[in-house]
Amino acid sequence: MKILITGGAGFIGSHVVRRFVTTYSNYQIVNLDKLTYAGNLENLLDVENSANYKFVKGDIVDADFLQNLFDTEQFDAVIHLAAESHVDRSISNPIEFVMTNVVGTVNLLNAAKTSWKGSYNSKRFYHVSTDEVYGSLGEGTEMFTETTAYDPHSPYSASKASSDHFVRAYHDTYGMDCVISNCSNNYGSFHFPEKLIPLSIHNIKQNKAIPIYGKGENIRDWLWVEDHARAIDVIFHKAKTGSTYNIGGHNEWTNIDLIRTLCKVMDKKLNREEGTSEKLITYVTDRAGHDLRYAIDATKLKKDLGWEPSLQFEEGLEKTVEWYLKNEKWLNNVTSGNYQHYYEEQYQNR
Ligand code: NAD
Ligand code: TYD
């Protein structure tokens, strides 16, 4: 089986690529990534020379390029993760999100449809999406299920919702074998330090302010990224065509409680007096349209396919902090911008 994984140089994509390359030596994995600021080939140093792995630099917004790639490679399946993914960036530049997340996804669906010539036996298009498409919950105990109505609020979540609708439309209209999963907030290694957890780790290390939007009362459900990659593996192999699965950690935290916990872990790991890092917490202007609460009900995934998160959050957070402290070079290369030269230095003449 030859699988196209898009966005494989990003945070979650790199974990999915690593899992598939190392678990399935009989699969050929092609990683297609534009290498935007969020794409980092240094996320994949341990698998980049594997015999069943290939990297292709390219943009999913370029329909001709995509069609050529599909014609040449004859993929059996697509696992689509390429996206613009940061809500704050979507607020300042929504068009970029429409182009990659909506137009890019439709281009991929079209390229797959043309390449597979309407015959979807042993073919699969797996679209990786987010819980943010469901909108915002109140402070109660209600959770998002697979049948919750879409109600996106940010340009990011609106673009992801739109892409989900197109994937379903290709299943319903053309009979394409499509599956979708909607996951909660991920954390773990190789996370770009613009998102809450890695940004806070980086700032605490440097004794810089930790920006908390509003009062820090917004609630997110956090899942260890390797558990997400394992869920994608299970859903890719076992889900029925046309199905949707919610993936989550049953692990809700207000931002401020999460950051206080992180501060304690950082104090311990950096041998600082307890309470040192908490002093860096700084409340800043709230994000526009900031969703109050996300919570995923992942019962269907457990019942149908037996998946459950493997790590308790405290354990995962400690592992994540240890990874960031051990991988200073990775973090320095990201913050200095050096990571953006890796492709020219290592790949262009291959
Ligand atoms: P990321 O921003 O870390 O990575 C995105 C990758 O896509 C990057 O490598 C980037 O270079 C690539 N890319 C962007 N535009 C492209 C284009 N036009 N053509 C080709 N490649 C392009 O994102 P992530 O956090 O790893 O998220 C991956 C997917 O998972 C996204 O679809 C996102 O919506 C979804 N998701 C993320 C989370 C989360 O907590 N991060 C949670 C649920 C779902
Ligand atoms: P983020 O990591 O950007 O993920 P998302 O917006 O997709 O959930 O943000 C997680 C939460 O943390 C969200 O409620 C916004 C908040 N946040 C801060 O308080 N400060 C920050 O500097 C960032 C980046 C996020």
Side-chain angles (χ1 to χ4, degrees):
M1 172 150 57
K2 195 186 262 191
I3 307 175
L4 173 67
I5 299 183
T6 69
F11 166 47
I12 301 169
S14 63
H15 285 279
V16 175
V17 164
R18 175 173 303 101
R19 184 175 180 91
F20 274 73
V21 167
T22 56
T23 313
Y24 303 106
S25 55
N26 52 329
Y27 293 176
Q28 306 265 11
I29 303 299
V30 177
N31 171 14
L32 167 65
D33 199 294
K34 181 181 174 183
L35 298 181
T36 67
Y37 80 92
N40 182 354
L41 288 171
E42 294 182 13
N43 295 356
L44 289 165
L45 295 181
D46 53 341
V47 293
E48 68 176 3
N49 293 319
S50 305
N52 63 337
Y53 171 75
K54 182 162 104 176
F55 175 71
V56 176
K57 186 176 179 197
D59 188 345
I60 58 168
V61 175
D62 183 342
D64 293 338
F65 157 77
L66 269 189
Q67 200 59 66
N68 275 332
L69 184 70
F70 272 76
D71 289 347
T72 315
E73 298 282 353
Q74 299 289 313
F75 299 115
D76 299 296
V78 177
I79 305 179
H80 175 36
L81 296 109
E84 287 293 336
S85 71
H86 190 41
V87 174
D88 295 328
R89 289 180 189 255
S90 82
I91 294 169
S92 34
N93 188 5
I95 293 299
E96 192 102 40
F97 284 67
V98 175
M99 294 314 291
T100 288
N101 299 1
V102 186
V103 177
T105 300
V106 180
N107 281 342
L108 266 177
L109 287 161
N110 260 336
K113 176 173 163 283
T114 307
S115 168
W116 295 337
K117 301 186 179 72
S119 163
Y120 303 113
N121 260 348
S122 310
K123 302 282 189 274
R124 171 146 282 188
F125 191 104
Y126 184 151
H127 179 57
V128 175
S129 192
T130 167
D131 61 355
E132 304 194 25
V133 299
Y134 298 122
S136 183
L137 294 164
E139 268 166 359
T141 52
E142 197 195 345
M143 290 181 162
F144 298 134
T145 70
E146 287 79 1
T147 55
T148 301
Y150 276 31
D151 182 23
H153 298 142
S154 73
Y156 165 63
S157 54
S159 68
K160 290 296 290 187
S162 173
S163 64
D164 292 11
H165 290 320
F166 272 103
V167 175
R168 287 200 181 93
Y170 270 65
H171 173 263
D172 295 348
T173 308
Y174 306 111
M176 186 183 282
D177 184 313
C178 299
V179 287
I180 299 178
S181 59
N182 297 85
C183 188
S184 60
N185 285 60
N186 285 211
Y187 71 95
S189 52
F190 302 110
H191 205 179
F192 195 84
E194 66 179 351
K195 304 272 172 84
L196 180 66
I197 292 180
L199 175 79
S200 302
I201 294 174
H202 182 54
N203 285 10
I204 293 169
K205 228 178 102 195
Q206 295 189 303
N207 270 312
K208 279 178 35 190
I210 309 166
I212 299 290
Y213 298 165
K215 295 183 179 149
E217 286 167 353
N218 303 68
I219 295 168
R220 298 291 181 265
D221 166 21
W222 294 91
L223 179 70
W224 188 44
V225 62
E226 293 185 36
D227 278 335
H228 187 188
R230 185 168 49 85
I232 289 173
D233 182 345
V234 171
I235 294 166
F236 175 76
H237 286 101
K238 295 193 176 157
K240 284 203 192 104
T241 180
S243 60
T244 293
Y245 282 96
N246 279 355
I247 311 171
H250 286 287
N251 175 44
E252 292 180 54
W253 289 77
T254 61
N255 292 338
I256 189 64
D257 285 347
L258 188 161
I259 291 304
R260 288 205 176 110
T261 306
L262 177 67
C263 285
K264 288 200 180 80
V265 177
M266 289 293 286
D267 284 345
K268 206 169 81 188
K269 299 284 173 200
L270 295 171
N271 293 319
R272 291 179 182 169
E273 197 185 323
E274 190 171 330
T276 310
S277 302
E278 259 198 56
K279 293 190 188 122
L280 299 169
I281 291 175
T282 308
Y283 293 94
V284 299
T285 310
D286 208 354
R287 173 186 280 172
H290 198 171
D291 286 336
L292 177 65
R293 174 171 167 253
Y294 304 141
I296 277 279
D297 179 350
T299 309
K300 182 182 171 196
L301 183 54
K302 183 177 173 190
K303 241 175 74 191
D304 286 6
L305 307 180
W307 176 93
E308 276 185 290
S310 72
L311 266 194
Q312 289 295 313
F313 186 59
E314 285 81 353
E315 192 188 343
L317 197 60
E318 204 163 315
K319 259 172 111 94
T320 304
V321 167
E322 281 165 7
W323 186 88
Y324 275 89
L325 295 178
K326 219 172 99 193
N327 289 276
E328 270 208 325
K329 186 167 172 225
W330 180 90
L331 192 57
N332 289 342
N333 282 354
V334 169
T335 49
S336 67
N338 269 349
Y339 73 108
Q340 288 178 312
H341 306 302
Y342 191 80
Y343 178 77
E344 282 74 24
E345 287 163 7
Q346 301 294 330
Y347 275 80
Q348 221 159 32
N349 299 321
R350 278 186 185 205

